[in-house]
Amino acid sequence: MTEFLIKSGISMVVLLGVYKLLLEKEKMHRFNRIYLLASLIFSVCVPFISIPSFANYNNSIDTLPQIALNEITITRGSTGINTRFWLILTYIIITSSLIIRFLKNILSFVFKIKNNKKIKYKTASLILLPYNTLPHTFLNYIFISEDDHNKNAIEKDLYTHELAHVNQMHTMDILLIELFKTLFWFNPVLYFYKKSIQLNHEFLADDAVINNNKNTAGYQNLLLKMASGSHTVALASNINFSITKKRFVMMTKTTPRFLAISKQLLVVPVMAGLFLISCAENEVKPESETNSVQEIPNVIEEDSVKPEVRIPGPPSESDEILSTGGLTLQPEYPGGMPQFYNYINENFTIPDVKENKTLKIYISFVVEKDGAMSNIKVLRDPGYGAGEEAIRVLKSVPEKWMPGEMDGKSVRSSFTLPITINIHD
């Protein structure tokens, strides 16, 4: 989880910085809308993307035919399980409260739609409210004051503005960013994203009005009049959102096509760079997301890792070591792989290191024809006695494996096991 938060947070900050420096002041609002949404989705997804690579392992790992086991992560921290429990509980309580508020805001619109008069208006439906309110939009509904509607007191430009929000489905953007804020409420960058997304919505809606009426000055005067006594409605698009100099300047601004394309193309290397950096970190750095000593990592299918190996011809009494690709029956630890991982977690003594460290060990072993573990070797040793401890734990495993078979005959099988130790004092 720590790795996810760091990578997604850095990605969000970098991409928002690019938007603020290069894109926000240019009149290319449709591209900016796509960019902001893509930046959010990209930042949330990129920590989960990795390109597996064994280039940084000891050379002997590449040459051995192996079955690669899932990584075991062991953590020692001064925070203790109680602190972790309370942190998780706090997150659950706050997130649950925000989800309830999110659903409550949606239900408030449902209630208004169900209990007030509706009038079809072009591609939208007008919801007439029995109190004074500025026009605002949710999905394909425009909420207006019934009294203002009956008196024809609502300017045509206001309808055009709100219809732009409806036709361009701006509510979906707001729902997405609100969902992100609900789940990742501790990330302050999301609040800046929401403001940028909403301001860009207003740029788009303002453009729709000006393209329709060709009267920029008159529309600006209308916005200034609407600004007095302004208020906003949660999850809705509001005409009075951020009536600032930025909107007024944007109405008269033009961006040369060459400049717009140039700035848009600059986004590509930025995202590519973030992607490559994230993948590189996944290859060469230990994962930060950790399990407690009692936790058992999920077992991966050994069949998903099929290194190139030389497979012998007809079955024989050969002592050749095989990988999973050459076996008709896979080796199995009594009780399953979770039991094997659990034994290592419970019996591994973490080195006495007086500083924050992440130690990564790569160890190999062979399951013999009789199920015994042999040839236990450390392929990468970070020091601090971690490699020796890994060998000790594997040698102490009390149970024999069910050996692998090929065409009904027991064969020797080679395994590699990564162990990550996170030490936080």
Side-chain angles (χ1 to χ4, degrees):
M1 180 58 73
T2 302
E3 182 182 12
F4 167 78
L5 295 177
I6 292 173
K7 288 184 178 180
S8 63
I10 291 175
S11 179
M12 285 183 189
V13 170
V14 170
L15 294 177
L16 183 62
V18 170
Y19 176 77
K20 291 290 186 180
L21 291 174
L22 297 179
L23 306 177
E24 185 180 50
K25 296 179 182 178
E26 304 302 334
K27 198 163 188 175
M28 43 187 186
H29 310 316
R30 288 180 177 82
F31 175 84
N32 286 352
R33 180 189 182 189
I34 295 171
Y35 174 85
L36 287 169
L37 296 176
S39 296
L40 284 173
I41 296 171
F42 174 85
S43 297
V44 171
C45 293
V46 74
F48 299 105
I49 303 171
S50 81
I51 303 174
S53 172
F54 296 94
N56 297 300
Y57 295 0
N58 187 293
N59 289 336
S60 60
I61 298 179
D62 295 323
T63 57
L64 263 176
Q66 300 152 350
I67 299 170
L69 296 178
N70 195 18
E71 181 175 358
I72 294 178
T73 305
I74 304 172
T75 299
R76 185 191 78 194
S78 59
T79 54
I81 190 170
N82 289 335
T83 301
R84 185 182 180 194
F85 169 78
W86 286 112
L87 286 174
I88 294 174
L89 182 61
T90 301
Y91 173 81
I92 292 174
I93 292 173
I94 296 176
T95 302
S96 299
S97 301
L98 293 175
I99 290 174
I100 292 172
R101 187 184 71 173
F102 179 68
L103 295 175
K104 183 180 177 181
N105 288 332
I106 293 178
L107 289 175
S108 70
F109 284 107
V110 174
F111 180 82
K112 291 177 185 178
I113 294 168
K114 183 178 180 181
N115 293 281
N116 291 285
K117 185 177 179 180
K118 291 184 281 292
I119 299 175
K120 186 67 178 176
Y121 181 79
K122 296 184 179 179
T123 58
S125 294
L126 301 180
I127 306 299
L128 306 183
L129 302 177
Y131 52 83
N132 289 329
T133 183
L134 290 178
H136 54 277
T137 301
F138 180 79
L139 296 175
N140 62 327
Y141 298 97
I142 300 174
F143 299 84
I144 59 175
S145 167
E146 183 176 14
D147 186 55
D148 288 345
H149 176 266
N150 294 335
K151 294 178 180 178
N152 292 321
I154 300 176
E155 301 280 350
K156 181 181 177 181
D157 286 347
L158 297 184
Y159 286 118
T160 304
H161 181 101
E162 298 305 321
L163 273 176
H165 288 309
V166 170
N167 294 334
Q168 297 176 30
M169 302 178 67
H170 291 168
T171 301
M172 302 308 295
D173 300 2
I174 296 176
L175 290 176
L176 177 65
I177 185 63
E178 284 293 336
L179 181 61
F180 279 23
K181 283 174 56 185
T182 299
L183 298 177
F184 309 115
W185 45 266
F186 44 81
N187 187 346
V189 182
L190 290 173
Y191 297 85
F192 293 99
Y193 266 95
K194 182 182 178 182
K195 185 173 181 180
S196 295
I197 288 172
Q198 287 182 297
L199 181 58
N200 190 65
H201 286 172
E202 297 311 308
F203 290 159
L204 287 163
D206 292 341
D207 267 0
V209 174
I210 293 171
N211 291 336
N212 180 70
N213 68 10
K214 310 298 181 183
N215 184 3
T216 303
Y219 179 59
Q220 289 175 336
N221 288 331
L222 176 61
L223 288 181
L224 288 174
K225 183 173 69 174
M226 301 300 293
S228 59
S230 62
H231 69 284
T232 59
V233 179
L235 304 186
S237 296
N238 304 271
I239 189 172
N240 61 318
F241 174 81
S242 188
I243 299 179
T244 63
K245 184 179 179 181
K246 285 184 180 180
R247 285 179 67 180
F248 283 68
V249 169
M250 195 60 69
M251 291 177 196
T252 56
K253 184 179 179 65
T254 58
T255 298
R257 182 174 177 81
F258 175 79
L259 179 61
I261 294 175
S262 298
K263 290 194 172 186
Q264 291 169 11
L265 289 176
L266 286 174
V267 171
V268 177
V270 173
M271 284 193 165
L274 287 171
F275 177 81
L276 291 175
I277 291 172
S278 176
C279 289
E281 289 178 348
N282 282 334
E283 291 174 12
V284 302
K285 291 185 180 179
E287 292 183 1
S288 297
E289 184 173 352
T290 61
N291 302 315
S292 68
V293 174
Q294 291 76 23
E295 289 179 36
I296 302 171
N298 295 326
V299 181
I300 61 172
E301 292 266 339
E302 282 88 354
D303 284 335
S304 66
V305 182
K306 297 186 177 179
E308 295 183 4
V309 296
R310 182 167 61 85
I311 301 174
S316 67
E317 296 301 323
S318 170
D319 285 336
E320 181 161 6
I321 301 173
L322 300 182
S323 78
T324 184
L327 302 181
T328 54
L329 180 65
Q330 303 301 315
E332 184 177 351
Y333 185 79
M337 292 307 298
Q339 189 69 25
F340 178 67
Y341 292 130
N342 188 56
Y343 179 85
I344 295 175
N345 270 318
E346 290 180 348
N347 291 275
F348 196 102
T349 301
I350 298 176
D352 186 18
V353 180
K354 303 299 184 184
E355 57 182 315
N356 292 344
K357 279 266 183 202
T358 298
L359 308 178
K360 192 136 190 176
I361 313 162
Y362 290 95
I363 195 164
S364 70
F365 61 91
V366 172
V367 174
E368 298 290 344
K369 296 178 183 179
D370 64 354
M373 294 173 60
S374 68
N375 292 0
I376 300 172
K377 299 177 182 177
V378 175
L379 303 177
R380 177 191 286 177
D381 189 347
Y384 303 97
E388 291 86 346
E389 176 62 14
I391 291 176
R392 183 197 68 79
V393 173
L394 288 183
K395 284 185 175 180
S396 72
V397 173
E399 303 286 345
K400 286 189 175 183
W401 292 59
M402 295 294 294
E405 293 184 4
M406 188 175 72
D407 297 333
K409 297 206 176 211
S410 297
V411 294
R412 306 173 75 205
S413 307
S414 178
F415 291 80
T416 55
L417 174 67
I419 302 175
T420 295
I421 306 171
N422 290 320
I423 302 173
H424 304 293
D425 286 326

